[in-house]
């Protein structure tokens, strides 16, 4: 959600800013712009609504914009429609100061009134414009000092990139509750919303903490706290390859990431299983602390929440501790029953989702211990947790998550096995059997991925449906939630997931001739019950795609219109296999409907506003 890039160095800035913004496109946006300091003409601002290509066309890929320092932005509209005027950078009344912003300024209405009273005109509907104006209001020749005063007035979430025509040899970066990293180079410095934008230039990065301000010059980077006292920062080295964030010959990132899942699962579990035992070096919780827990609270949004729904079945079965799964956006407003005997399991691919961050902070305030499962190293959620277990999925670029979801599940299996063993809730034989089953997962996922053509064929039959239901029981239901989200977010087909037993309590009235139902029947114990539900919807005219394990192949084929099978595995690990055909189905349906698969409308990869 919104992307920020800043560069100050000796090269022409605009092409670098455009390249960085291209790498941040996946975060989601609807307009783009940049402000570059031109030594002859002063601050040059170019911006355009729509795709980045418009900005490229206006500037001849940046060549027309002269200057070696500047900031760029991709905007995901919150305040004001996505038009040229509301695009960032927003500039101060004199045109001297330009600001790019990711986040929301909550008290902007009051500030706007105040600034209008001072005679300052406004042109946009954005909350960001008040930042540029306030900076000008406070500016008396020292930009950093003006930023310090600004920080005392604004409330909300913000990552800011600031450039001032009076101080052309510096850029200022500010961060609170929205991500911003710094990149250290030789003779240049950068800032960006995430590391993907800087790694073509430098792998030495630094993560800004909340309230910190950085002053970037060509040769130095100085960081201050919100009271402008100097802060010592350490750098981190990013060691993944640039190619990991590129399409590598695939038409879409989403497809590439679906195909990468066996490797991502293997990378996540293999180093953590040694001599048949799950070893979670990253975890500091002791057996005694674990015994003291009376509840696990899972906090997450979207697909990460769906991992939580599946994890509840897994953890309660194996660890025998009550698990409550809650949407992060609801957590703070639900009087959560959290004590110092609660552990909050926080799940987030990006590690920056603002709702999840706010909920985990509230959980901590109420006394919970925080264990997070995060993909982006050094992200805020990871840094604010007591313990973090990283999913080693590599960078995930497509907005629709696939390999991050799968690796989050993989970490959940590891946690469940580890906790169950520590608490003595599983016999040695059962533990060994489950570890072996877990290790078989990547190869079984590879097996499913050999059948993409079959799923493509089914997609070609059903892609014109305008309403699709996913039904399942127990863990199949949890997977249905994810399958339905995948489909709706990239194909824009209305879709819902239901616990199959609930059909008769309302939803079945929506089933009519030709309605498509995806029946998830992989949990062998409940196969027959699910087949009864299939008969009920078929009797009312539904077309049914069925998914079950190999064990039930023949029966499934008899009952449904299109049958998909997955390899047999212990039910605990089913979600990882069952989700793959659903991801592929969503992918091919969206492809056939001509949708923008990697960047679905209105969505952002990293949701950094509430
Ligand atoms: O980065 P997070 O895992 O915290 O993101 C949470 C959701 O926004 C995310 O899972 C979203 O639902 C997916 N991109 C959907 O595919």
């Amino acid at each position: 959600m919104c992307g920020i890039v800043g560069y100050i160095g000796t090269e022409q800035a605009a092409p670098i800013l455009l390249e960085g913004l291209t790498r941040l496109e996946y975060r989601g946006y609807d307009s783009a712009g940049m402000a570059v300091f031109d030594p002859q003409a002063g601050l040059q601002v170019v911006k355009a609504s729509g795709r980045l290509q418009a900005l490229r066309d206006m500037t001849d890929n940046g060549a027309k914009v002269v200057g070696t320092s500047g900031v760029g932005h991709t905007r995901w509209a919150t305040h004001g429609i996505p038009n040229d005027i509301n695009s960032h950078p927003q500039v101060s009344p004199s045109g001297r100061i330009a600001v790019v912003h990711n986040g929301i300024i909550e008290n902007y209405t009051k500030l706007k009134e105040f600034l209008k009273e001072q005679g300052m005109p406004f042109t946009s509907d954005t909350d960001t414009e008040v930042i540029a104006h306030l900076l000008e209001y406070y500016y008396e020749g020292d930009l950093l000092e003006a930023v310090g005063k600004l920080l005392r007035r604004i409330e909300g979430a913000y990552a800011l990139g600031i450039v001032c025509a009076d101080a052309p040899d510096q850029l200022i970066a500010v961060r609170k509750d929205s991500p911003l990293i710094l990149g250290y180079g030789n003779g240049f410095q950068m800032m960006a919303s995430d590391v993907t934008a800087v790694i073509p230039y430098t792998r030495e990065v630094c993560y800004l903490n909340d309230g910190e301000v950085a002053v970037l010059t060509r040769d130095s980077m100085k960081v201050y706290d919100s009271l402008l006292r100097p802060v010592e920062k350490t750098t981190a080295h990013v060691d993944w390859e640039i190619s990991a964030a590129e399409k590598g010959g695939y038409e879409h990132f989403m497809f590439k990431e679906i195909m990468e899942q066996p490797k991502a699962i293997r990378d996540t579990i293999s180093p953590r299983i040694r001599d048949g035992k799950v070893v979670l070096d990253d975890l500091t919780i002791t057996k005694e602390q674990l015994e003291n827990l009376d509840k696990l609270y899972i906090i997450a949004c979207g697909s990460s929440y769906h991992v939580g729904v599946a994890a509840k079945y897994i953890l309660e079965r194996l660890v025998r501790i009550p698990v409550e799964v809650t949407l992060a956006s609801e957590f703070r407003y639900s009087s959560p029953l959290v004590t110092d005997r609660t552990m909050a399991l926080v799940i987030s691919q990006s590690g920056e989702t603002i709702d999840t961050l706010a909920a985990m902070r509230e959980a901590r305030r109420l006394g919970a211990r925080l264990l997070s499962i995060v993909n982006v190293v050094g992200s805020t959620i990871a840094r604010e947790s007591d313990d973090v277990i990283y999913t080693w999925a590599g960078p995930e670029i497509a907005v629709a998550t696939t390999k991050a979801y799968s690796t989050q599940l993989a970490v959940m299996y590891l946690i469940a096995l580890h906790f169950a063993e520590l608490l003595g809730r599983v016999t040695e034989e059962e533990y060994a059997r489950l570890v072996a089953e877990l290790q078989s997962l990547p190869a079984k996922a590879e097996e499913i991925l050999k059948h993409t053509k079959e799923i493509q064929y089914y997609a070609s039959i059903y892609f014109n449906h305008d309403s699709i239901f996913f039904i399942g029981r127990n863990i199949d239901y949890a997977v249905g939630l994810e399958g339905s989200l995948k489909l709706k977010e990239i194909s824009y087909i209305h879709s819902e997931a239901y616990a199959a037993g609930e059909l008769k309590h309302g939803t079945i009235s929506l089933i009519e001739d030709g309605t498509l139902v995806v029946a998830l029947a992989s949990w062998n114990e409940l196969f027959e019950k699910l087949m009864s539900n299939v008969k009920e919807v078929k009797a009312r005219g539904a077309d049914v795609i069925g998914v079950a394990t190999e064990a039930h192949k023949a029966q499934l084929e008899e009952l449904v219109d299109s049958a998909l099978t997955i390899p047999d595995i212990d039910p605990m690990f089913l979600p990882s296999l069952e989700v793959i055909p659903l991801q592929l189905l969503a992918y091919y349906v969206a492809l056939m409907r001509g949708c923008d698969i990697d960047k679905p409308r209105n969505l952002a990869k990293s949701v950094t506003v509430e």
Side-chain angles (χ1 to χ4, degrees), residues 301-304 348-350 353 399-401 408 485-486 489 607:
C301 301
S303 297
S304 298
S348 176
Q349 186 284 130
S350 62
T353 303
V399 166
T401 184
Q408 287 167 350
L485 177 62
K486 283 289 85 79
E489 70 180 317
V607 183

Side-chain angles (χ1 to χ4, degrees), residues 1-4 18 20-33 47-56 72-78 81-83 87-88 101-102 193 397 399 596 598-606:
M1 209 165 246
C2 295
I4 290 178
L18 282 168
L21 293 178
T22 305
R23 289 179 176 274
L24 296 178
E25 263 190 306
Y26 78 97
R27 296 172 63 86
Y29 73 104
D30 36 47
S31 55
K47 44 193 198 171
S49 56
R51 289 292 180 210
L52 214 42
Q53 191 56 42
L55 199 62
R56 286 189 176 281
H73 188 263
T74 44
R75 172 176 186 251
W76 190 88
T78 56
I81 59 167
N83 61 17
S87 307
H88 299 197
H101 168 215
N102 173 17
S193 296
I397 307 295
V399 166
D596 188 349
D598 285 338
K599 297 188 283 288
R601 69 185 179 205
N602 305 336
L603 290 178
K605 182 71 179 164
S606 180

Side-chain angles (χ1 to χ4, degrees), residues 448 476 518-524 527 530-531 545-557 560 562-569 574 577-578 581-582:
I448 299 172
D476 285 317
V518 181
L520 302 170
S522 301
W523 202 35
N524 290 346
F527 179 81
L530 214 275
M531 286 307 111
I545 300 180
V547 186
T549 61
E550 287 291 332
H552 285 114
K553 188 173 185 330
Q555 280 164 283
L556 184 73
E557 282 174 349
V560 302
S562 306
L564 288 165
T565 49
I566 57 173
D568 288 300
I569 198 159
L574 276 173
L577 298 182
E578 193 170 41
L582 307 188

Side-chain angles (χ1 to χ4, degrees), residues 200-216:
Y201 311 97
T202 177
R203 288 169 174 281
E204 302 310 312
V205 300
C206 155
Y207 300 98
L208 281 180
N209 287 326
D210 268 354
E212 287 181 344
V213 179
V215 179
L216 287 65

